């Protein structure tokens, strides 16, 4: 069994059942299976073989899902990159992953023999072919998800078929998924939340409904999507649910066909969570936890008992056979959902140290206590400020830069502290444009502080605590420019 066998199995058993839809097109399991086979012939014609990486830089469409299936069927490794990523960041990812092929739906692909548009690739396929699929072991890599890296470069989390399936099989059972379910896919394919949306749906013979990047932050339209598509299972960061609550009348319009609402990626503010729990008494609500390196490793179900809670909800108990311990305050995970390792580095030996702080409460439930280092969550995405630092210092007016995450939870913001070149004082809008050309939108800065120099610790390192103290507590969630 591997990830691509989920689709081929349902293509035999329920070929006419809906498998995947985007905003314009839908594929049944038969159609998805055949289109994936078409792409297999095209990829092999391009020389892609087992173990090769295929970087897929496209919009979220049914065609992209079929292409991902094809990559898996030849034993290659998918590297999904959201279409909104700027070319410069994609180039850095490609330099690390060294893909055999880059597939994009941009009109101007990389001027390289290894680059092709998705439409051109499909034109090279043999329609209707039924090619043999390469044997794949559970230990083989399935995909690489690039996250913000501590060195200023994107870092590739390499996940095996077995690791993904361990999570998917647990999640499908936990939610009792069946072929009648309709799952939404809100997260980008490069975000680990998509693993559940796609493969849990395919595990159950259900359908997954893709939300494009332009719709992902449109509150009213998202609520329309949930109700109009009769979505039964929703999974997103809390920010998306709060957006729909505040600007899309999510509570007033009701859950529709929704029977399960799952959230992960950041802390859900207690008052907003309790309002949602109170408004949707018949909808199961689950808080899932786990960095990209482990996928989901703990779960907590929010019930009516939490309506009187005055402290943040826990992240719960270990799942999917994982072992989750706390060592010197740090959450440590070992078990079947853990990654192989970072691409290009030595395989992970032993358990994964998350860098997250936690503790078990009196009931044996794990509580999240924050980050051990500078890694943080902003708008539901894991952010390593060093990658933003690296982008800022390429601006001609910036001599040096340090980015801090200030504020907590949904109020977390990226504050850039910049030492300008002599005679230059770049503005916030200028630097935001500069970042937009090099970074995904969630890594763009929110506030700019021009300073003459950085405070230092006794060993000469930047004193980040002192730097953060230059911003008053009342200004930590602000967006704007200031001289600190």
């Amino acid at each position: 069994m591997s990830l691509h066998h989920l689709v081929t199995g349902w293509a035999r058993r329920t070929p006419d059942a809906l498998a995947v839809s985007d905003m314009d097109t839908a594929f049944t399991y038969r159609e998805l299976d055949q289109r994936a086979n078409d792409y297999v012939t095209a990829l092999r014609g391009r020389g892609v073989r087992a173990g090769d990486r295929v970087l897929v830089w496209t919009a979220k469409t049914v065609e992209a899902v079929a292409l991902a299936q094809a990559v898996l069927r030849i034993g290659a490794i998918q590297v999904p990159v959201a279409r909104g990523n700027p070319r410069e960041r994609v180039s850095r990812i490609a330099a690390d992953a060294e893909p055999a092929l880059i597939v994009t739906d941009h009109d101007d692909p990389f001027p390289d023999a290894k680059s092709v548009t998705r439409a051109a690739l499909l034109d090279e396929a043999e329609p209707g072919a039924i090619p043999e699929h390469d044997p794949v072991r559970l230990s083989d890599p399935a995909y690489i998800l690039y996250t913000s890296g501590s060195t200023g470069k994107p870092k590739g989390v390499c996940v095996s078929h077995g690791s993904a399936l361990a999570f998917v099989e647990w999640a499908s059972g936990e939610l009792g998924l069946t072929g009648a379910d309709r799952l939404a896919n809100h997260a980008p394919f490069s975000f680990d939340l998509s693993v559940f949306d796609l493969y849990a749906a395919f595990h159950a013979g259900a359908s997954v409904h893709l939300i494009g990047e332009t719709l992902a932050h449109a509150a009213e339209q998202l609520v329309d999507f949930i109700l109009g598509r009769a979505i039964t299972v929703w999974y997103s960061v809390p920010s998306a649910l709060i957006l729909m609550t505040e600007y899309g009348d999510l509570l007033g319009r009701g859950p529709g066909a929704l029977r399960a609402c799952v959230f992960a990626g950041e802390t859900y503010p207690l008052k907003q969570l309790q309002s949602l729990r109170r408004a949707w008494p018949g909808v199961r609500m689950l808080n899932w936890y786990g960095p990209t390196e482990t996928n989901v490793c703990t779960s907590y179900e929010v019930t009516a008992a939490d309506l009187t809670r005055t402290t943040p909800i826990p992240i719960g108990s270990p799942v999917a056979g994982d072992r989750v311990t706390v060592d010197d305050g740090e959450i440590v995970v070992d078990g079947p959902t853990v990654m192989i390792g970072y691409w290009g580095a030595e395989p992970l030996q032993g358990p994964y140290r998350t860098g997250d702080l936690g503790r078990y409460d009196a009931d044996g439930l794990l509580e999240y206590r924050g980050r051990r280092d500078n890694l943080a969550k902003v708008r539901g995405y894991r952010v390593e400020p060093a990658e933003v630092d690296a982008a800022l210092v390429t601006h001609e007016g910036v001599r040096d830069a340090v980015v801090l995450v200030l504020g907590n939870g949904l109020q977390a913001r990226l504050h850039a502290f910049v030492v300008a070149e002599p005679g230059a004082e770049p503005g916030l809008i200028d630097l935001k444009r500069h970042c937009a050309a090099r970074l995904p939108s969630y890594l763009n800065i929110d506030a700019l502080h021009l300073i003459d120099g950085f405070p230092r610790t006794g060993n000469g390192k930047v004193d980040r605590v002192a730097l953060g103290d230059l911003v008053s507590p009342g200004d930590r969630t602000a967006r704007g420019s200031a001289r600190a």
Side-chain angles (χ1 to χ4, degrees):
M1 173 67 76
S2 60
L3 286 176
H4 65 272
H5 287 134
L6 303 176
V7 169
T8 58
W10 289 111
R12 291 192 302 270
R13 296 192 293 273
T14 58
D16 296 323
L18 178 63
V20 58
S21 71
D22 56 30
M23 304 308 294
D24 303 306
T25 309
F27 280 170
T28 64
Y29 275 95
R30 176 193 288 114
E31 291 166 334
L32 177 58
D33 180 53
Q34 185 55 64
R35 185 55 59 87
N37 279 336
D38 294 345
Y39 280 118
V40 166
T41 64
L43 289 172
R44 284 182 172 153
R46 284 269 173 167
V48 179
R49 297 294 182 263
D52 286 342
R53 278 75 62 207
V54 178
L55 193 155
V56 182
W57 182 31
T58 68
K60 290 169 60 178
T61 64
V62 297
E63 295 288 351
V65 173
L67 177 57
Q69 287 289 307
V71 173
L72 298 175
R73 290 179 184 197
I74 60 176
I77 306 168
Q78 187 200 13
V79 185
V81 179
R83 192 183 195 278
N85 274 260
R87 181 178 298 269
E88 182 173 317
R89 188 171 194 260
V90 180
S91 296
R92 294 200 300 273
I93 291 173
D96 186 72
E98 297 182 329
L101 189 66
I102 298 173
V103 184
T104 181
D105 56 12
H106 287 268
D107 293 333
D108 52 342
F110 288 89
D112 189 300
K114 294 182 179 179
S115 178
V116 63
T117 64
R118 187 206 53 76
L121 183 67
L122 187 58
D123 287 341
E124 298 170 9
E126 300 175 23
I130 306 178
E132 290 291 326
H133 300 166
D134 285 60
V136 176
R137 299 168 299 180
L138 288 176
S139 59
D140 288 338
Y143 53 82
I144 303 171
L145 301 180
Y146 274 84
T147 67
S148 184
S150 59
T151 62
K153 298 179 180 179
K155 183 167 55 177
V157 176
C158 190
V159 179
S160 69
H161 286 261
S163 295
L165 281 169
F167 160 63
V168 164
E169 289 170 354
W170 167 81
S172 296
E174 173 65 23
L175 293 173
L177 297 182
T178 72
D181 277 307
R182 301 168 66 86
L183 284 69
N185 167 234
H186 180 266
F189 290 160
S190 54
F191 196 15
D192 58 324
L193 273 67
S194 285
V195 175
F196 168 79
D197 301 332
L198 294 167
Y199 296 105
F202 297 156
H203 184 274
S207 60
V208 57
H209 301 257
L210 312 179
I211 298 171
E213 291 180 339
T214 57
L215 183 62
H217 304 291
E220 188 173 353
Q221 290 88 336
L222 283 175
V223 178
D224 290 341
F225 185 92
I226 292 173
L227 299 178
R229 297 289 184 105
I231 298 300
T232 63
V233 179
W234 175 271
Y235 185 30
S236 75
V237 294
S239 299
L241 288 161
I242 292 173
L243 177 74
M244 290 187 284
T245 299
E246 294 182 349
Y247 301 103
D249 194 22
L250 180 65
L251 303 188
R253 298 177 68 182
L258 202 66
R259 66 175 188 83
C261 176
V262 187
F263 50 89
E266 61 190 351
T267 302
Y268 207 134
L270 185 61
K271 289 184 179 179
Q272 288 96 323
L273 177 57
Q274 289 171 330
S275 294
L276 187 63
R277 175 68 284 167
R278 192 175 293 111
W280 289 355
V283 178
R284 289 187 68 190
M285 297 176 61
L286 295 101
N287 178 31
W288 286 354
Y289 161 81
T292 304
E293 288 85 349
T294 71
N295 212 306
V296 171
C297 59
T298 70
S299 174
Y300 177 78
E301 182 155 1
V302 183
T303 68
D306 292 299
L307 292 175
T308 57
R309 176 184 289 275
T310 57
T311 57
I313 62 169
I315 54 178
S317 303
V319 301
D322 284 337
R323 296 170 294 282
V324 183
T325 58
V326 178
D327 180 28
D328 191 27
E330 183 178 7
I331 298 172
V332 180
V333 185
D334 190 17
T337 73
V338 177
M339 67 172 180
I340 297 171
Y342 295 112
W343 182 255
E346 291 296 317
L348 179 67
Q349 300 293 329
Y352 175 71
R353 303 188 69 90
T354 65
D356 289 336
L357 299 174
R359 68 181 181 189
Y360 278 100
D361 66 15
D363 296 321
L365 299 173
L366 187 62
E367 296 177 338
Y368 175 77
R369 308 288 292 176
R371 287 294 304 169
R372 180 177 288 279
D373 52 25
N374 293 325
L375 205 62
K377 288 288 183 70
V378 177
R379 293 177 280 272
Y381 291 91
R382 191 175 75 171
V383 168
E384 173 50 64
E387 186 175 1
V388 191
D389 299 347
L392 285 171
V393 296
T394 63
H395 187 280
E396 61 184 6
V398 175
R399 172 175 290 183
D400 205 355
V402 170
V403 173
L404 299 181
V405 176
L406 301 179
N408 298 311
L410 297 177
Q411 302 303 315
R413 299 289 182 266
L414 285 168
H415 287 247
F417 296 82
V418 168
V419 177
E421 293 288 356
E425 283 200 356
L428 176 64
I429 299 302
D430 184 25
L431 290 182
K432 284 178 75 71
R433 287 181 182 141
H434 181 78
C435 288
R438 293 161 176 79
L439 302 168
S441 59
Y442 67 86
L443 286 177
N444 211 326
I445 62 173
D446 298 297
L448 169 65
H449 308 278
L450 294 171
I451 59 177
D452 296 323
F454 296 119
R456 302 282 175 176
T457 64
N459 60 9
K461 294 183 178 181
V462 174
D463 189 335
R464 293 175 180 271
V465 173
L467 195 59
D469 288 342
L470 297 176
V471 181
S472 66
D475 291 331
R476 290 192 169 210
T477 62
R479 293 180 171 92
S481 299
R483 176 166 281 283

